[in-house]
Amino acid sequence: MGKKNNVTFDDIAKYTNFSKTTISRYFNNPDSLTLENQEVIAKALVDLNYKENKVARILANGQTEFIGIIIPNLFLHYYSEMLDKILSTYEQFGYKFLVFIGNEKEETERRYIKELLAYKIEGLIVLSHTIPSEELAALGLPIVTIEREDRWVCSVNTDNYMGGCQAAGLLARHHCDILIHINSSSARNVPAYGRIQGFLDICKETKLPYELFLKEMGNNHESLKEHLTDILCALEQKYTDRKKGIFFSNDTHANIFLNLLVRKYGSLPEDYLIIGFDNSPVSREALIPISTIGQQIDKIAYEAVSLLIEQINGRKKRRPVLLKEPVHKVITPVLLKRETTERI
Amino acid sequence: MGKKNNVTFDDIAKYTNFSKTTISRYFNNPDSLTLENQEVIAKALVDLNYKENKVARILANGQTEFIGIIIPNLFLHYYSEMLDKILSTYEQFGYKFLVFIGNEKEETERRYIKELLAYKIEGLIVLSHTIPSEELAALGLPIVTIEREDRWVCSVNTDNYMGGCQAAGLLARHHCDILIHINSSSARNVPAYGRIQGFLDICKETKLPYELFLKEMGNNHESLKEHLTDILCALEQKYTDRKKGIFFSNDTHANIFLNLLVRKYGSLPEDYLIIGFDNSPVSREALIPISTIGQQIDKIAYEAVSLLIEQINGRKKRRPVLLKEPVHKVITPVLLKRETTERI
DNA sequence: TTGTACGCGTTATCAC
DNA sequence: GTGATAACGCGTACAA
C-alpha cells in the first residue's frame, strides 16, 4: 500500500467495462454473474495482476476475521502445543490470529487487549491467568478461556477432576500403601484445582492413606530440583518400605523426581510408582517412560475456536444472539500407562 | 464494528467544536495543539468512551504494522522459543504478528503468504524450509529468514560452523580417541550444514579419527530410538574400549542416546562423551545434564525483527532505499559444559 | 444481471 | 494552530 501502485476494483472495472460493483460481486457472490462474465473478470485479474486488499474490505463490512490470543508464554510445552493447534484451525475456519505473549503481567496484558480491540478482533482467546473473567466479560466481545478462572466467560477445560481420579485410581489399583499428590498451591477457582479434588475423592473412596504436598516450587529447574529433593527426603523417612504412589501435577516435575530417584538408587525402586500430567514430550523421553494423564490439546483448541466462532456468528444475525450464561466445555483426559507404573 | 455504535473522530469533533483534522492531530502530532486544547480533547475521549480504530488508519496511511510469520511447527522447542522471543519484540517495536503454521507444505504455505499479503503485512519472517528464497525475494517485500536457505533474502542464523568447532573442540580437548557426529543428511545450502563442516575441520586440524552418521531418522520418538539403537550397536562393536566423543545435531537425539546407554549400563560409561545442540530444556532435565551448544534465540529473534524493520523503514523514505545485496547476520553460539563431558 | 451513489473511520493536502 | 475536503479500496442499498 505504499503509493498508488495497487490495482483496485476501479482499475478492473475500467479494464473490463463493468462497474466496481460487479467486480465486488465476482468475489462475494460469483453466481450472480454469468459464467461468461466471470471468465472475463478472471482473465482481467491475471492480466492486471490484481492482489486483494482485505483491509479495505474490513473497513467496508466490519469483518476482520481476526481472533486475538493472550498466552502466558511459549516456553512451556503445554502452551506452545496449544497455540500450534489453535493456529492450525485456520484451515477449517479461516480466522487469522493476532498473538500476544502476556508473561502474566496484568497491566501489560490490558495494553495488549486494547491494541487487539483497536484492530477490531472479532473474538478473544485467553490462556493467561491475570485478568479476572469478570473484566474480560465486560469487554463485550466473544471470549473463550482455556484452563483458567472462567466464572463469567465461556471456556474449554480438561476434565481435571477426572484426571485426578484416573491418576489416583491407577495408583490404587496397583496396591500402593500411600498415595501422594505433589502440586502447587493453586487457587480453588482454576480448573486445575480439580486434579486435587479428584485425587482426594479416590483416596477417600478407596480408604487409602494419602498426603498432599501443596506449595509453590518456582519455575526454573534448580528451584524445582531443590524442592523435590526435600520432598523426596521427607517421603523416604516417613514412608520407608511402604509402596508409594506419587501423582505429580505435571510431567516435568515427575521427570525431575524420577531422575533424583535413579541417581540415588541406580534405577526406579520397586516401592515407587509415578504418574505425571500433560503427556508432554519429556514423559516419553524420560529415562523410564513416565505414566501420565494426557490432555487432548487438539480437541481443546478446536472446541475453543468453535465456541468462539459460534458466539461471533450469533452476533452477526439481524437479531443478535447473546448467551445469557457462559458455556463451559469439558474435554476428557486420557490415561497413559507407561513404565513408571507398569513395571516389566 | 458491528453497526454504528462506535465513537468516531466526527463525534469527538462535534462534541469539542473542533474539526476531525484536529482530533487526528491530537493523536499523531499532539504538540501542534495548545496544551489547553489537548486537555479538552482528552476529556472528550473519556466522556464519549472513544476506542481507536486502526483499520481505518491503515486504509488511510497504508501502515499496518503487521509482520507475517511462517513457522513449520511449535512442537519443537526451538521453534516455540523462537516464536516467543519474536512476539515479545512487540514491546520494543510495536509491530503486530500474524502467525501461520506451515507444516512444511509448500502449496499451503503459498496460500498463507497470499493471505498475509492481502492483509498488507509490511514484512515477512520465514522459518520454514519449503519455499525457495528466490521465490520469497520475488514477493517484493521486506523478508528475513531464520536458519534456512537464504541465498536471495536477508537472514539471521546461528554460526553453525563455530558451533561444530566448539563441540568437536571440546571433545578433542578431552582426549577422545574417536570423534563421531550424528546428524540428518541436511542439504548443503542450509545453515545447519555448517555444523558438519565445523566438526570436520576440527577433526582434521587435530588429526583425530572421526566418523559421520548422516541419515534421516524421522521425527517421532520410536523411529529415533530405533535408529539410534542401531548406531549404538555399530559404535560398540567398532570402537570397543576407545574413548568416544559424540556430537549430536540436537539435544533430543543426545538424550535418547544417553538413555539407551544408561539403560544398558546403569550409568554413562566412562568411554562415552556426549554433546548436543540447542540448549533445549531436555538437555538440562536429562538424567545426566547434557553438554550442548546453545543458540542465542533471544538475540536471533531480536536481530531478525530489527533487520526486517530496517528494510521496512528504508522503503518508507521519499527515495526508497532497497538493499542491492541481502544482509546475512550471524549469531555466535554458546558452549555449555555439563556432566556428559565433564565427569565429576 | 448490472450500475449508481454513498458509507466505513482515518490520514494527507491545502488553505487560512 | 486550525479547518475543509479529498483520498484510501471495498461493500451494499437501491435503482434500473
Side-chain angles (χ1 to χ4, degrees):
Chain A
M1 294 177 83
K3 295 300 156 204
K4 37 177 72 266
N5 40 7
N6 292 313
V7 179
T8 73
F9 281 11
D10 256 332
D11 300 322
I12 305 168
K14 277 167 197 151
Y15 187 83
T16 56
N17 291 320
F18 286 111
S19 72
K20 264 200 322 194
T21 314
T22 303
I23 311 302
S24 173
R25 269 195 275 264
Y26 170 82
F27 285 99
N28 299 310
N29 190 10
D31 293 341
S32 69
L33 312 192
T34 63
L35 266 170
E36 205 179 5
N37 288 341
Q38 287 184 40
E39 279 163 21
V40 172
I41 295 177
K43 181 170 177 304
L45 296 181
V46 178
D47 291 352
L48 299 176
N49 187 26
Y50 171 75
K51 303 209 188 304
E52 56 179 340
N53 183 340
K54 295 219 178 177
V55 176
R57 154 201 270 246
I58 293 170
L59 192 60
N61 76 0
Q63 326 259 325
T64 57
E65 295 182 336
F66 282 152
I67 290 174
I69 300 182
I70 310 271
I71 194 165
N73 63 67
L74 298 179
F75 194 83
L76 294 180
H77 187 266
Y78 169 78
Y79 287 125
S80 55
E81 190 177 349
M82 187 70 77
L83 183 60
D84 189 324
K85 303 304 183 200
I86 292 175
L87 297 181
S88 298
T89 63
Y90 171 78
E91 288 296 310
Q92 297 136 65
F93 300 112
Y95 277 78
K96 273 68 62 181
F97 296 92
L98 284 167
V99 188
F100 281 93
I101 306 287
N103 279 319
E104 300 290 355
K105 291 177 193 153
E106 196 161 345
E107 277 316 311
T108 307
E109 294 186 3
R110 288 210 176 82
R111 262 179 32 234
Y112 292 166
I113 290 180
K114 207 171 165 190
E115 180 83 335
L116 288 170
L117 292 176
Y119 279 96
K120 304 299 163 186
I121 53 169
E122 298 191 44
L124 180 63
I125 296 179
V126 181
L127 292 97
S128 72
H129 291 241
T130 58
I131 300 180
S133 68
E134 193 168 0
E135 183 177 339
L136 292 175
L139 292 173
L141 88 164
I143 294 199
V144 171
T145 65
I146 296 176
E147 284 287 321
R148 49 151 285 155
E149 180 268 309
D150 57 2
R151 172 88 177 75
W152 304 95
V153 294
C154 292
S155 65
V156 180
N157 301 310
T158 286
D159 188 337
N160 284 276
Y161 179 83
M162 184 188 290
C165 292
Q166 287 173 325
L170 180 66
L171 298 175
R173 285 199 298 282
H174 280 292
H175 307 295
C176 289
D177 301 317
I178 167 85
L179 300 196
I180 291 144
H181 180 40
I182 299 174
N183 204 325
S184 59
S185 47
S186 58
R188 285 170 184 262
N189 60 353
V190 306
Y193 189 76
R195 297 177 200 176
I196 300 175
Q197 293 189 299
F199 173 83
L200 288 176
D201 283 3
I202 292 294
C203 290
K204 285 164 190 163
E205 195 182 307
T206 57
K207 295 186 177 131
L208 281 168
Y210 65 86
E211 179 164 355
L212 290 178
F213 288 83
L214 302 182
K215 57 176 148 186
E216 226 41 70
M217 300 197 282
N219 263 320
N220 66 75
H221 190 244
E222 287 316 308
S223 154
L224 284 171
K225 204 165 163 180
E226 243 173 66
H227 280 96
L228 289 170
T229 304
D230 293 346
I231 291 176
L232 175 55
C233 280
L235 292 179
E236 299 267 271
Q237 287 192 354
K238 202 161 168 185
Y239 303 113
T240 322
D241 293 335
R242 295 174 69 185
K243 192 166 177 182
K244 298 167 274 292
I246 315 183
F247 169 36
F248 289 88
S249 60
N250 71 57
D251 294 328
T252 299
H253 295 186
N255 180 56
I256 294 174
F257 193 87
L258 170 65
N259 285 342
L260 288 173
L261 281 171
V262 174
R263 290 200 78 143
K264 185 166 179 182
Y265 296 107
S267 71
L268 179 58
E270 293 278 330
D271 58 334
Y272 278 95
L273 275 74
I274 290 178
I275 181 164
F277 207 102
D278 281 347
N279 188 25
S280 49
V282 68
S283 69
R284 244 163 301 133
E285 294 167 4
L287 177 70
I288 298 171
I290 301 171
S291 295
T292 188
I293 307 291
Q295 306 201 44
Q296 301 195 65
I297 294 187
D298 51 349
K299 276 198 189 169
I300 297 175
Y302 178 86
E303 291 297 335
V305 178
S306 298
L307 185 51
L308 194 65
I309 292 177
E310 273 174 39
Q311 296 177 66
I312 292 172
N313 290 338
R315 297 185 176 217
K316 282 182 185 164
K317 296 181 179 158
R318 317 204 140 274
R319 166 102 182 64
V321 183
L322 294 177
L323 301 169
K324 324 114 216 50
E325 284 296 319
V327 174
H328 302 294
K329 292 208 181 181
V330 167
I331 307 297
T332 306
V334 180
L335 173 62
L336 294 153
K337 300 180 192 173
R338 300 213 184 96
E339 281 187 51
T340 54
T341 57
E342 326 294 310
R343 303 308 164 76
I344 311 167
Chain B
M1 292 180 87
K3 293 298 156 208
K4 38 177 70 266
N5 41 7
N6 293 312
V7 180
T8 73
F9 282 11
D10 255 331
D11 301 322
I12 305 168
K14 276 166 197 152
Y15 187 83
T16 56
N17 291 319
F18 286 110
S19 72
K20 268 202 310 197
T21 315
T22 303
I23 311 301
S24 173
R25 269 195 275 264
Y26 170 82
F27 286 99
N28 299 309
N29 191 9
D31 293 341
S32 69
L33 313 193
T34 64
L35 264 170
E36 206 179 3
N37 288 341
Q38 289 184 40
E39 279 163 22
V40 173
I41 295 176
K43 182 171 175 304
L45 297 181
V46 178
D47 291 351
L48 299 175
N49 188 26
Y50 170 74
K51 304 210 187 305
E52 57 177 341
N53 183 339
K54 294 218 178 177
V55 176
R57 156 201 268 245
I58 292 169
L59 191 60
N61 78 358
Q63 325 259 326
T64 57
E65 294 180 336
F66 283 151
I67 290 174
I69 300 182
I70 309 269
I71 194 164
N73 64 67
L74 298 180
F75 194 83
L76 294 180
H77 187 266
Y78 169 78
Y79 288 124
S80 55
E81 190 177 350
M82 187 69 78
L83 183 60
D84 190 323
K85 302 305 183 200
I86 292 175
L87 297 181
S88 298
T89 63
Y90 171 78
E91 288 297 309
Q92 298 136 62
F93 300 112
Y95 277 79
K96 273 69 59 182
F97 297 92
L98 283 167
V99 188
F100 282 93
I101 307 288
N103 279 320
E104 300 290 355
K105 292 176 193 154
E106 195 161 344
E107 276 316 313
T108 306
E109 295 186 2
R110 289 210 175 83
R111 262 179 33 233
Y112 293 166
I113 290 178
K114 207 172 167 190
E115 180 83 335
L116 287 170
L117 292 176
Y119 279 96
K120 303 300 164 185
I121 54 169
E122 299 192 44
L124 180 62
I125 296 179
V126 181
L127 291 97
S128 72
H129 291 241
T130 58
I131 300 180
S133 68
E134 193 168 0
E135 183 177 339
L136 293 175
L139 293 173
L141 89 164
I143 294 199
V144 171
T145 65
I146 296 176
E147 284 288 323
R148 49 152 284 154
E149 178 268 309
D150 57 1
R151 172 90 176 74
W152 303 95
V153 295
C154 292
S155 66
V156 180
N157 301 311
T158 286
D159 188 337
N160 284 276
Y161 179 83
M162 186 188 290
C165 292
Q166 287 173 325
L170 180 67
L171 298 175
R173 286 199 299 283
H174 280 292
H175 307 295
C176 290
D177 301 318
I178 168 85
L179 300 195
I180 292 145
H181 180 42
I182 299 174
N183 204 326
S184 59
S185 47
S186 58
R188 286 170 184 262
N189 59 353
V190 306
Y193 190 76
R195 298 176 199 176
I196 300 174
Q197 293 189 299
F199 173 83
L200 289 176
D201 283 4
I202 292 294
C203 290
K204 286 165 188 161
E205 196 182 306
T206 58
K207 294 183 179 134
L208 281 168
Y210 65 85
E211 179 164 355
L212 289 178
F213 288 83
L214 302 182
K215 58 174 145 185
E216 226 41 68
M217 300 196 283
N219 265 320
N220 66 76
H221 190 244
E222 287 316 308
S223 154
L224 284 170
K225 204 165 163 180
E226 242 174 66
H227 280 96
L228 289 170
T229 304
D230 293 346
I231 291 177
L232 175 56
C233 280
L235 292 180
E236 299 267 272
Q237 289 192 354
K238 201 161 170 188
Y239 302 114
T240 322
D241 294 333
R242 295 173 70 184
K243 192 167 177 181
K244 299 168 272 294
I246 314 182
F247 169 36
F248 288 88
S249 60
N250 70 57
D251 293 328
T252 298
H253 295 186
N255 179 57
I256 294 174
F257 193 87
L258 170 65
N259 285 342
L260 288 173
L261 281 171
V262 174
R263 290 198 79 143
K264 184 165 181 183
Y265 296 107
S267 70
L268 179 59
E270 293 278 328
D271 59 333
Y272 278 96
L273 275 73
I274 291 178
I275 181 165
F277 208 102
D278 281 347
N279 188 25
S280 49
V282 68
S283 68
R284 245 163 300 133
E285 294 166 4
L287 176 71
I288 299 170
I290 301 170
S291 296
T292 188
I293 307 292
Q295 305 201 44
Q296 301 194 66
I297 295 187
D298 50 349
K299 275 197 189 170
I300 297 174
Y302 178 86
E303 291 298 334
V305 177
S306 298
L307 185 51
L308 195 64
I309 292 177
E310 273 174 40
Q311 295 177 68
I312 292 172
N313 290 337
R315 297 185 176 216
K316 282 182 185 165
K317 297 181 180 160
R318 316 204 140 274
R319 165 104 181 62
V321 183
L322 294 178
L323 301 168
K324 323 117 215 55
E325 283 295 320
V327 175
H328 303 294
K329 292 207 181 183
V330 167
I331 307 296
T332 306
V334 180
L335 174 62
L336 294 152
K337 301 180 192 173
R338 301 212 182 97
E339 281 187 51
T340 54
T341 57
E342 325 295 310
R343 303 308 164 76
I344 310 170

